[in-house]
Amino acid sequence: MKERLKSVILAALLVLTLVLARQIWLAPPPTGNKLIAVADTKFTDAVIGRMMPAAMVVNFGDGAHTKTVQLKNLWPFYRNILKQNFDGKEKVQWEKMAYKDYLKCHDKPSVVFEVAKGTYSDLFKDVYNLHDLKGEIAAIYFSESEGVIFETEEGAMKPDFAVNLSDINKYIRSLEREDNPSYSSLWERYGIQRAVYISDEKPVFESDVVYENDLTNMKSAYKNDLLRRLLKAGIDDLHEIGEEDSTLYVWGQRTVRLYNNGLLDYKDQTEAAKEVMDPAGAVERAFEFVAKNTGTIDDVYLEKLEPITANGGRGYRVVMNHSEKGLPVFPVKGEKIDAIVVELFNNQVKRMTYLYRNKAEEESANTLVEGMAFADVVAMHPEIFGAKEEGYDQLLKPLRRVSLCYLDDGREEKKALVPGYYVLYGERVYLFDALSGAYVGGDRS
């Protein structure tokens, strides 16, 4: 009996082995990303802290609004609301509101965070588990009466479950006692159905913030340490080539070129094993590389993230800029450029350009200056917006965002930052001098 049982078990095992072997040999081989498991999209708190919306609109009710860019201590509260209500949910159904109804919600006590175009929409969906939300996120609305509403390219979208909020009205009431600049929307001003807010007053800026070329003024000991970190070799081991506009340092397949105008250009041509990267991993690695090798990560925020290709490989370009007084600082050299650009392939930084300009260490007088009203800037540029006679209700229909910023003239060795306007008009970004109204740069978005 025992011998017969053994025979039956052995026969069953033999059949199972043949079936599994057949599946293995006949199954197609893994291809592409299946060769290497893709890591879950997870950000550290340090990087999430640098992913902030562009601005916050505060709706007091009855048509009164203000706007602030000082979000460092405000955004974490609302960020936690998103994490607590959306993280871990299997599937979220979204209800599309009539846009006029969404605009009416802005008449109730509420706060609305403006989300920067493109990058932040995709990354916010990753961080807060909003993958079921269709369209690019433009703004996130919070109120005790309506809960959470997302404004996207598809319209105003509300989740199919209630989000119960508290303490928002209390915060709004506290702000009402302060002296806040007044804002109004395109809907209220010109009848354009869009919740884009423009100041009713001329903007006020601090005018004494001075930036300088940091490479020119960098002490040799710090410069040598910077080269050592990037090239992984001592200064005496590097091959140095002096040129008219720059100095090139070479160690093996890595190079660093220091330009006289303050630009650092790092390249790494070493071979790297193929490794799958997700957007979160690219952002994490880029911030880690900048912090570890330059040590200058204070007041740096994520500007955008772009997929790139080279030699058949896919990677990411991570763009960062500085902020000053809560406002973004855009370097300009006849056109808009970026302070820090990191390109990664196979989870390895292959190139980094870093415009080494920082605040000059000198006494400041905290002088305030008044800028031009945005409507006056629009009237100065019919070549961009159209003739004033057409009416602002027509000229500003393509306006998607307008915000205050600082402009840093990278061509100057040392110069005060210029107050500016950042304007997203249609699909194009424009930068204007807020004091003179002059167009100073921009790029295709």
Side-chain angles (χ1 to χ4, degrees):
M1 184 68 180
K2 290 183 179 179
E3 292 300 323
R4 179 178 294 183
L5 183 59
K6 286 181 181 179
S7 298
V8 172
I9 292 173
L10 287 173
L13 289 173
L14 178 60
V15 171
L16 181 60
T17 301
L18 291 172
V19 170
L20 291 174
R22 176 183 174 83
Q23 288 181 347
I24 291 171
W25 284 106
L26 295 183
T31 58
N33 292 345
K34 291 181 180 179
L35 289 169
I36 305 171
V38 179
D40 290 337
T41 304
K42 292 181 179 177
F43 291 87
T44 62
D45 290 339
V47 171
I48 290 177
R50 297 182 188 277
M51 292 170 49
M52 289 191 292
M56 182 180 78
V57 175
V58 180
N59 301 313
F60 297 107
D62 299 322
H65 319 274
T66 192
K67 193 173 180 179
T68 180
V69 294
Q70 305 295 338
L71 306 182
K72 196 169 185 179
N73 297 321
L74 296 173
W75 173 241
F77 172 78
Y78 298 93
R79 182 178 76 199
N80 288 336
I81 291 174
L82 296 179
K83 291 289 285 183
Q84 291 167 7
N85 286 276
F86 292 93
D87 199 15
K89 285 204 176 289
E90 293 280 332
K91 182 80 174 174
V92 177
Q93 298 294 330
W94 297 93
E95 175 190 346
K96 185 174 181 179
M97 301 175 62
Y99 199 79
K100 279 191 176 181
D101 291 339
Y102 171 64
L103 290 172
K104 289 178 182 177
C105 292
H106 286 238
D107 287 331
K108 301 175 182 179
S110 54
V111 296
V112 186
F113 289 92
E114 297 178 350
V115 179
K117 186 177 184 294
T119 295
Y120 276 74
S121 175
D122 295 337
L123 294 180
F124 269 35
K125 288 183 180 182
D126 285 338
V127 172
Y128 303 114
N129 189 33
L130 300 169
H131 300 286
D132 296 325
L133 182 61
K134 293 182 180 179
E136 191 173 276
I137 300 173
I140 309 174
Y141 170 102
F142 298 85
S143 79
E144 292 186 15
S145 60
E146 300 295 330
V148 179
I149 303 172
F150 292 84
E151 183 184 352
T152 76
E153 291 175 318
E154 301 291 323
M157 314 297 288
K158 200 170 183 180
D160 61 349
F161 57 89
V163 179
N164 298 315
L165 305 178
S166 60
D167 294 328
I168 294 179
N169 288 356
K170 182 179 178 181
Y171 165 71
I172 293 172
R173 296 285 84 85
S174 70
L175 276 185
E176 281 185 314
R177 295 190 291 269
E178 300 178 9
D179 184 18
N180 302 294
S182 175
Y183 278 72
S184 55
S185 68
L186 293 181
W187 170 243
E188 292 165 323
R189 282 191 178 198
Y190 309 115
I192 300 172
Q193 287 193 34
R194 190 165 298 136
V196 173
Y197 285 82
I198 302 173
S199 177
D200 297 324
E201 308 164 11
K202 293 182 178 180
V204 176
F205 299 84
E206 290 189 30
S207 65
D208 55 350
V209 183
V210 177
Y211 269 35
E212 64 181 357
N213 181 337
D214 234 15
L215 283 183
T216 301
N217 301 289
M218 189 179 291
K219 295 178 180 179
S220 59
Y222 185 90
K223 185 181 293 185
N224 292 346
D225 186 54
L226 175 64
L227 292 168
R228 178 188 61 77
R229 294 188 201 188
L230 289 167
L231 297 175
K232 309 295 187 290
I235 190 68
D236 294 333
D237 298 321
L238 305 181
H239 182 45
E240 182 178 339
I241 304 171
E243 299 180 2
E244 184 178 351
D245 65 342
S246 61
T247 303
L248 179 66
Y249 298 89
V250 182
W251 175 253
Q253 297 297 307
R254 296 188 181 97
T255 62
V256 171
R257 185 181 293 275
L258 302 181
Y259 286 89
N260 299 338
N261 65 5
L263 182 69
L264 178 152
D265 190 351
Y266 164 84
K267 294 179 181 178
D268 183 356
Q269 301 297 327
T270 58
E271 292 293 327
K274 289 191 179 298
E275 189 173 338
V276 175
M277 268 193 317
D278 58 24
V283 174
E284 288 276 5
R285 181 76 182 97
F287 270 97
E288 177 189 40
F289 184 87
V290 173
K292 183 177 179 181
N293 291 285
T294 71
T296 52
I297 202 73
D298 292 342
D299 296 318
V300 170
Y301 71 95
L302 177 65
E303 176 73 25
K304 59 185 173 182
L305 174 70
E306 302 170 326
I308 55 176
T309 58
N311 302 320
R314 292 179 297 174
Y316 291 95
R317 179 181 293 117
V318 181
V319 180
M320 311 173 200
N321 276 322
H322 296 283
S323 64
E324 197 67 56
K325 313 294 184 184
L327 298 178
V329 178
F330 295 114
V332 289
K333 289 185 176 183
E335 61 181 10
K336 177 184 175 294
I337 58 176
D338 294 295
I340 308 170
V341 180
V342 181
E343 296 182 353
L344 305 98
F345 290 89
N346 300 318
N347 205 32
Q348 182 181 16
V349 174
K350 305 302 291 181
R351 186 177 185 187
M352 177 185 72
T353 56
Y354 194 129
L355 186 61
Y356 258 84
R357 291 181 66 82
N358 262 311
K359 189 189 298 186
E361 295 182 2
E362 56 186 33
E363 292 294 326
S364 60
N366 294 323
T367 307
L368 300 179
V369 293
E370 189 177 74
M372 292 179 61
F374 178 66
D376 294 336
V377 175
V378 171
M380 283 182 61
H381 296 280
E383 76 283 3
I384 295 174
F385 301 103
K388 182 180 178 181
E389 289 72 25
E390 296 178 33
Y392 288 107
D393 58 333
Q394 298 299 316
L395 301 186
L396 298 182
K397 276 186 177 179
L399 184 65
R400 298 177 60 184
R401 186 176 141 214
V402 55
S403 55
L404 305 180
C405 65
Y406 282 113
L407 307 173
D408 176 27
D409 190 345
R411 296 167 295 190
E412 298 288 338
E413 186 73 21
K414 186 175 183 180
K415 191 174 181 180
L417 297 181
V418 176
Y421 278 111
Y422 170 101
V423 179
L424 179 58
Y425 188 75
E427 291 299 315
R428 185 162 187 179
V429 170
Y430 296 90
L431 298 175
F432 298 95
D433 183 325
L435 302 183
S436 68
Y439 168 72
V440 297
D443 61 8
R444 288 286 175 188
S445 177

